[in-house]
Amino acid sequence: PALEYGLDAPFAVEYHDSLPSTNARARELAAEGATDAVVVADEQTGGRGRLDRGWSSPPGGIWLSMLSRPSIAPARAPLYTLAGAVATARAVRSAGVDARIKWPNDVVLTGDESTDYRKLAGVLTEMEGEADRIGWLIVGVGLNANVDSGELSEGATTLRELVGDVDRRAVVHELLSEFDALRGDLEGVVPAWRELTATIGRCVRVDAPGGAVVGRAVDVTDSGGLVIETGERRETVAAGDCEHLR
Ligand code: BT5
């Protein structure tokens, strides 16, 4: 397959030219009892975003899923999503792109004052487990690498557009090494995320399960929730879609 490489990785890596979804393949591996496995595809024919949205995944991108079986409380699972975003942002930055993170999981290009951002990568985490124990956890990363942005949705950008085609093997290797280091030091995830975020300090609107929250984003909690100052009080949202207003 186009993406195959022989570098040592902290995971057993499986390569495919084309798959419906690397997350779906990683779920199969999880059902077979695998752990520390990674699935990478050159193209996905049924890529998924969050909340059942689609994810465009033409050939030339980096579409991958990382399977772990962490012994952490399920409430801390969002740290894995943040770790996926940090690892992706760092890998992209090592390719020379000044990417930042939009809470919780988008890797975007943004100017300091602009409300405008273009999405370079996204993270989709799926898990299975009981109230007190995680069975498996899959962090899926979609990174628009050697792809024309015209093939993607509006508001998307790609490494090809920003810096020209990259060596995907090097970017994948960087991403996996960073992710492996972060999951081994979960205490370090939120500080690392804070350093790279474009969301703290911005006015945001978060469409959370309990309704929309509008205010200024001031912090991230130890478990990855976004703290928003709404004027009279502070609210914490654990998950949702976040828009930068100004
Ligand atoms: C995400 O969802 O950002 C998570 C994307 C995760 C994709 C990876 S690829 C490997 C693994 N296998 C999968 O099947 N999925 C994971 P969300 O925040 O819901 O963003 C989805 C929205 O982004 C869509 O509704 C589109 O508007 C937009 N979009 C779709 N494809 C895009 C792309 N390639 N680049 C930028 N934006 C895109």
Side-chain angles (χ1 to χ4, degrees):
L3 264 165
E4 192 150 10
Y5 68 102
L7 295 169
D8 281 339
F11 301 88
V13 189
E14 199 184 272
Y15 300 89
H16 298 263
D17 284 330
S18 182
L19 275 180
S21 157
T22 57
N23 265 40
R25 174 63 190 143
R27 280 201 306 273
E28 284 176 10
L29 292 175
E32 290 165 11
T35 190
D36 291 340
V38 169
V39 181
V40 192
D42 183 38
E43 165 194 62
Q44 294 183 122
T45 53
R48 307 307 308 165
R50 295 178 303 147
L51 308 170
D52 260 332
R53 291 184 286 232
W55 184 259
S56 314
S57 318
I62 294 174
W63 324 121
L64 65 81
S65 300
M66 306 177 280
L67 166 68
S68 314
R69 295 182 184 275
S71 40
I72 56 171
R76 305 193 80 208
L79 290 176
Y80 268 65
T81 306
L82 299 185
V86 170
T88 305
R90 284 182 174 167
V92 161
R93 293 176 77 86
S94 74
V97 174
D98 187 22
R100 321 245 319 158
I101 300 171
K102 184 166 79 69
W103 183 87
N105 66 346
D106 288 355
V107 176
V108 300
L109 262 284
T110 171
D112 280 348
E113 296 304 322
S114 161
T115 59
D116 213 15
Y117 40 82
R118 287 176 297 154
K119 184 158 167 174
L120 184 59
V123 181
L124 171 67
T125 301
E126 296 179 88
M127 60 183 261
E128 186 184 77
E130 287 124 51
D132 57 339
R133 215 191 115 256
I134 292 175
W136 51 255
L137 191 151
I138 293 166
V139 178
V141 174
L143 168 56
N144 302 326
N146 305 339
V147 176
D148 287 332
S149 52
E151 289 185 75
L152 307 175
S153 15
E154 212 187 309
T157 189
T158 73
L159 290 178
R160 171 176 284 172
E161 180 176 80
L162 296 164
V163 291
D165 283 4
V166 296
D167 176 355
R168 283 182 292 168
R169 289 184 217 87
V171 175
V172 168
H173 185 70
E174 186 72 17
L175 198 162
L176 296 182
S177 313
E178 290 285 354
F179 183 78
D180 188 48
L182 287 159
R183 69 176 182 168
D185 171 29
L186 281 185
E187 304 309 319
V189 170
V190 169
W193 186 93
R194 258 195 213 106
E195 247 173 63
L196 286 171
T197 187
T199 296
I200 302 301
R202 305 296 287 263
C203 278
V204 298
R205 175 199 163 92
V206 177
D207 287 315
V213 182
V214 179
R216 202 164 65 90
V218 290
D219 202 7
V220 184
T221 66
D222 291 346
S223 53
L226 187 66
V227 184
I228 302 173
E229 225 166 49
T230 60
E232 63 275 21
R233 58 204 184 90
R234 287 186 163 204
E235 282 192 45
T236 300
V237 285
D241 276 322
C242 169
E243 201 190 328
H244 291 180
L245 301 176
R246 57 175 195 274

